[in-house]
Amino acid sequence: MEKHANFGSRMGAIFAAAGSAVGLGNVWRFPMEVGNNGGAAFILVYLLCILLMGLPIMVSEFVIGRHTQSNMIEAFRRLAPGRWWRFIGILGILAAFVILSYYIVVSGWTLYYTYSSFSGVLMDKDTDYGVFFGNFVANPWLSVLFAAFFMLLAHIVISRGVQGGIEKCSKVMMPVLLLIIGLLVLCAFSMPGIDEGLRFLLKPDFSKLTVSAVLSAMGQAFYSLSLAMGCLCTYASYFGPKTRLMSSAASVAAIDTFVAVLSGFIVFPAVFSVPDVEANAGPGLVFQTLPYVFNMAFDSVPWLGYLFSGMFYILLFLAALTSAISLHESVTAYVHENWHMSRKKAATLVSVSTMSLGVICSLSFGVLSGWTVFGMNVFDLFDSVSSKIMLPIGGVLIALFVGWYLDRKLVYMEVTNNGTLSERLFGVLMFLIRWVAPIAIMSMFVKGVMEML
Ligand code: PHE
């Protein structure tokens, strides 16, 4: 049998996993959730969710992936032969497939906005950004073309393999992404709305903290850390024996949270710099409100506006690409390992089939907008079903599997690298995995289902 692939270094492994976690969820979804749920108080709850629920599940996925050295479906088959636990793996890979098909659509938008920023179209004073966005997503050719181009980039990286593709690209893109974020934060600090932006982000107003906000924080933590989709499990199968699972998970979660919070530091000072713009503009915040904000905020120095906006959308693009790669890899690894296909063939099959679904998602903003289920177009349906149903179910099952089914000794040996590390927190970790995470996720699930009905 072919030797299982490995990341070349511990740093490479952390960058790759952080690349999966840092995505549109951090730069697009997080500021939107913070804006909708009242700012600082939401961020505090979010941090708690990362610690109490996100980290334990991430370590669980690492344990499963590294121990079995295989993709998610195969991993469960090996750990629990012949039992229905394998369903968790199938669900995870299916979720990755569905999410990837709509993720590439939004990722395509980031490419188009980068292009439009630098070409100056986006900064034209007379542009109505709502109409601009609406026309773009409804244009069947343009949006599909940009999504396909994005898919092609992800495809090339995946075809080059684990070390030559995924690891290499994460090691270049993650530092660039962090650098761009740093520059944008510096720019944001020179904006007139900085005081108000900071107050919004740092001064908690607990009166805005509803039960629904708490559950949204939980959902956001889950999505942002890329849990329950086989991505982290698959990446962990490429970890070497010396990689420390707990500290790697802590680093990934720290980088992910850092980028999310810094994105808030970029978006809100900008939003508060322009009168009549609300912080709770919802999903349109990044594609409809922000271009307007960049335009107004840099009214007197237009070239800075071009630059700020261009860099912001490159940031979104880079974040999206590393995440899409991990979703792609989760599915490709399965096809490659279990269907005995070469990596290149497996990657092509996955790229072509997700792109076909992606076309439908993309067209659901235009010609196919009439295709609805429960009042949602295909894009919204894929988003809701995957993040509100598939992920929570997968997450609970992973926690129950590692907490209650797997031999505690096996988990201990993985977490301590065969007893060579002392892990004083192991007992706490197991308590979180057995009790706190499943109960928290179940409540998220109930909320998600109630919202959909
Ligand atoms: N974590 C990514 C983000 O924040 C999204 C993602 C989810 C990526 C699941 C991979 C798997 O955008």
Side-chain angles (χ1 to χ4, degrees):
M1 209 174 111
E2 201 180 322
K3 189 180 166 302
H4 193 69
N6 254 321
F7 287 126
S9 65
R10 273 188 267 176
M11 263 323 264
I14 291 180
F15 271 138
S20 168
V22 173
L24 295 173
N26 303 59
V27 193
W28 171 48
R29 215 161 174 259
F30 182 77
M32 164 182 116
E33 293 279 0
V34 173
N36 285 339
N37 293 298
F42 178 86
I43 299 185
L44 278 181
V45 177
Y46 176 78
L47 294 179
L48 274 181
C49 292
I50 294 272
L51 267 182
L52 300 181
M53 184 186 79
L55 264 175
I57 304 250
M58 192 186 292
V59 176
S60 304
E61 284 204 38
F62 282 177
V63 166
I64 296 170
R66 192 183 51 188
H67 185 78
T68 57
Q69 301 271 298
S70 36
N71 67 75
M72 202 178 181
I73 294 183
E74 182 63 18
F76 281 98
R77 204 177 64 82
R78 287 196 191 169
L79 289 170
R83 294 184 200 242
W84 66 272
W85 286 111
R86 192 187 316 178
F87 166 75
I88 310 178
I90 299 175
L91 191 72
I93 289 184
L94 211 62
F97 185 70
V98 171
I99 292 185
L100 182 60
S101 66
Y102 80 79
Y103 206 79
I104 52 171
V105 174
V106 185
S107 307
W109 300 349
T110 68
L111 269 178
Y112 179 69
Y113 269 65
T114 306
Y115 158 76
S116 308
S117 305
F118 286 122
S119 69
V121 184
L122 205 61
M123 291 290 127
D124 188 339
K125 289 270 169 299
D126 302 324
T127 308
D128 175 328
Y129 293 104
V131 174
F132 180 85
F133 179 73
N135 284 346
F136 166 58
V137 294
N139 180 327
W141 297 110
L142 257 189
S143 50
V144 169
L145 189 79
F146 276 90
F149 183 60
F150 181 87
M151 189 69 191
L152 182 69
L153 295 177
H155 176 83
I156 294 173
V157 175
I158 293 288
S159 307
R160 298 197 163 190
V162 174
Q163 273 191 30
I166 302 173
E167 183 173 358
K168 218 174 182 180
C169 145
S170 315
K171 271 165 121 176
V172 175
M173 295 210 297
M174 288 309 285
V176 174
L177 183 143
L178 293 175
L179 184 76
I180 295 183
I181 268 224
L183 289 175
L184 289 176
V185 171
L186 280 184
C187 282
F189 268 79
S190 62
M191 288 187 169
I194 182 69
D195 288 341
E196 213 174 328
L198 287 184
R199 206 169 315 123
F200 182 71
L201 280 167
L202 300 177
K203 205 157 160 264
D205 172 4
F206 287 99
S207 67
K208 297 235 175 75
L209 207 60
T210 55
V211 176
S212 148
V214 173
L215 293 169
S216 297
M218 226 149 42
Q220 173 63 18
F222 218 75
Y223 184 86
S224 190
L225 292 179
S226 306
L227 300 176
M229 265 159 276
C231 301
L232 297 178
C233 176
T234 308
Y235 276 8
S237 76
Y238 308 138
F239 285 180
K242 292 221 177 94
T243 300
R244 299 170 174 219
L245 300 190
M246 294 245 285
S247 67
S248 302
S251 310
V252 172
I255 297 176
D256 187 64
T257 310
F258 184 66
V259 172
V261 173
L262 286 190
S263 301
F265 278 97
I266 296 168
V267 171
F268 291 109
V271 166
F272 286 115
S273 296
V274 176
D276 306 329
V277 171
E278 296 292 332
N280 57 355
L285 185 65
V286 159
F287 292 103
Q288 295 171 28
T289 313
L290 278 189
Y292 172 71
V293 164
F294 295 154
N295 203 338
M296 298 303 284
F298 293 105
D299 201 19
S300 45
V301 231
W303 66 269
L304 248 184
Y306 282 43
L307 195 68
F308 195 91
S309 145
M311 286 206 305
F312 181 80
Y313 290 107
I314 291 185
L315 170 72
L316 265 178
F317 160 71
L318 289 177
L321 186 58
T322 45
S323 297
I325 288 171
S326 72
L327 287 163
H328 198 305
E329 177 64 15
S330 171
V331 189
T332 302
Y334 164 67
V335 175
H336 168 52
E337 289 166 15
N338 285 38
W339 296 4
H340 308 292
M341 267 188 204
S342 70
R343 167 172 277 276
K344 284 211 165 75
K345 272 204 189 127
T348 309
L349 183 68
V350 174
S351 296
V352 171
S353 45
T354 25
M355 191 57 221
S356 318
L357 272 189
V359 170
I360 301 179
C361 288
S362 180
L363 295 182
S364 67
F365 289 97
V367 276
L368 298 186
S369 57
W371 288 17
T372 54
V373 181
F374 296 126
M376 289 179 273
N377 65 16
V378 178
F379 180 98
D380 292 335
L381 182 74
F382 280 15
D383 181 19
S384 290
V385 169
S386 55
S387 64
K388 292 183 181 149
I389 297 184
M390 295 168 105
L391 298 192
I393 295 183
V396 171
L397 292 177
I398 290 175
L400 295 178
F401 182 78
V402 173
W404 298 92
Y405 177 83
L406 265 193
D407 184 7
R408 196 179 164 102
K409 184 93 195 295
L410 181 156
V411 182
Y412 181 80
M413 288 310 233
E414 276 302 328
V415 169
T416 60
N417 286 356
N418 289 324
T420 55
L421 304 173
S422 80
E423 273 314 347
R424 274 173 291 141
L425 291 178
F426 183 71
V428 181
L429 175 76
M430 285 312 278
F431 177 73
L432 294 175
I433 295 178
R434 292 183 125 197
W435 298 102
V436 180
I439 293 174
I441 301 167
M442 278 308 285
S443 42
M444 180 174 108
F445 178 61
V446 172
K447 178 207 169 209
V449 172
M450 283 186 6
E451 250 179 30
M452 277 176 78
L453 293 180

